[in-house]
């Protein structure tokens, strides 16, 4: 976003500065030599001072510096736009389960919701957790492991009378 904003600004700003400086360097010569010299010098100073080069180059340099700093801390960020988005974050929620520090997921809270249908009976929370553990057991994803461990920790009976059929593991696609 910032890079696009700077580019858009420079597209308008640069021609205005160059045109202004060009007018400052040419038209005063009509008056006399001394005025022409003064305004040519002023026009050249205007181009140097008002040059958007520093503005244009500051964005990529800032991105590179920030990416280098976070990579030294072992964090990989795909680009400057992601850093910009991170700068707009107002709140961050951390869990205390060790997910971020140890990479271990835990099932802390599991709740079912009800829907009003006449064709299906309402299943209890333990029943739903048991069926979910049955479906997730063959998967190797850490979240699946957390669900299976959570069901075991709560001593939920995984239905032995039911069997999962047509269960395909698609890496990165869920169940």
């Amino acid at each position: 976003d910032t890079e696009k904003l700077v580019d858009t600004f420079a597209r308008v700003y640069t021609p205005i500065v160059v045109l202004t400086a060009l007018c400052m360097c040419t038209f005063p010569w009509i008056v006399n030599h001394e005025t022409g010299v003064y305004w040519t010098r002023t026009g050249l100073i205007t181009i140097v001072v008002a040059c958007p080069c520093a503005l244009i180059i500051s964005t990529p340099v800032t991105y590179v510096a920030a990416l280098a700093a976070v990579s030294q801390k072992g964090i990989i960020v795909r680009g400057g736009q992601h850093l910009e988005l991170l700068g707009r974050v107002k709140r961050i929620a951390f869990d205390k389960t060790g997910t971020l520090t140890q990479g271990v997921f835990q099932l802390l809270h599991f709740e079912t919701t009800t829907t009003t249908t006449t064709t299906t009976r309402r299943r209890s929370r333990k029943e739903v957790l048991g069926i979910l553990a049955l479906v997730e057991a063959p998967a190797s994803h850490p979240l699946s492991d957390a669900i299976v461990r959570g069901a075991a920790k709560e001593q939920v009976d995984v239905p032995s009378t039911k069997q999962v059929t047509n269960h395909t593991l698609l890496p990165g696609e869920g169940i």
Side-chain angles (χ1 to χ4, degrees):
D1 282 346
T2 303
E3 197 167 357
K4 289 179 186 174
L5 177 72
V6 168
D7 287 344
T8 304
F9 176 76
R11 244 183 258 132
V12 174
Y13 176 78
T14 304
I16 291 172
V17 167
V18 170
L19 184 62
T20 303
L22 184 64
C23 290
M24 292 169 75
C25 292
T26 55
F27 294 126
W29 288 97
I30 297 171
V31 176
N32 63 34
H33 179 75
E34 189 175 304
T35 305
V37 169
Y38 173 79
W39 282 104
T40 298
R41 181 173 172 234
T42 305
L44 293 174
I45 291 171
T46 301
I47 284 197
V48 171
V49 171
C51 178
C53 295
L55 180 65
I56 293 169
I57 201 164
S58 66
T59 305
V61 169
T62 305
Y63 286 165
V64 169
L67 292 172
V70 297
S71 69
Q72 287 177 345
K73 296 182 188 295
I75 301 169
I76 298 172
V77 179
R78 286 188 173 183
Q81 66 187 23
H82 300 290
L83 288 173
E84 268 189 64
L85 290 174
L86 191 57
R88 294 184 190 145
V89 170
K90 300 284 188 241
R91 292 182 183 97
I92 299 175
F94 290 101
D95 62 63
K96 297 180 181 181
T97 62
T99 302
L100 295 172
T101 55
Q102 300 169 3
V104 178
F105 294 99
Q106 289 182 4
L107 179 64
L108 296 178
H109 180 78
F110 182 77
E111 189 174 318
T112 59
T113 58
T114 59
T115 57
T116 52
T117 59
T118 55
T119 56
T120 58
R121 70 174 180 84
R122 186 173 190 276
R123 296 186 187 273
S124 71
R125 180 188 170 283
K126 287 201 173 209
E127 260 185 300
V128 173
L129 187 55
I131 293 169
L132 189 57
L134 177 70
V135 171
E136 292 288 355
S140 61
H141 193 276
L143 291 176
S144 299
D145 293 340
I147 291 169
V148 172
R149 280 194 323 270
K153 184 178 176 183
E154 292 188 26
Q155 298 174 342
V156 171
D157 291 326
V158 177
S160 58
T161 58
K162 296 188 178 177
Q163 190 175 10
V164 177
T165 57
N166 296 328
H167 187 276
T168 305
L169 296 175
L170 300 171
E173 299 294 325
I175 58 169

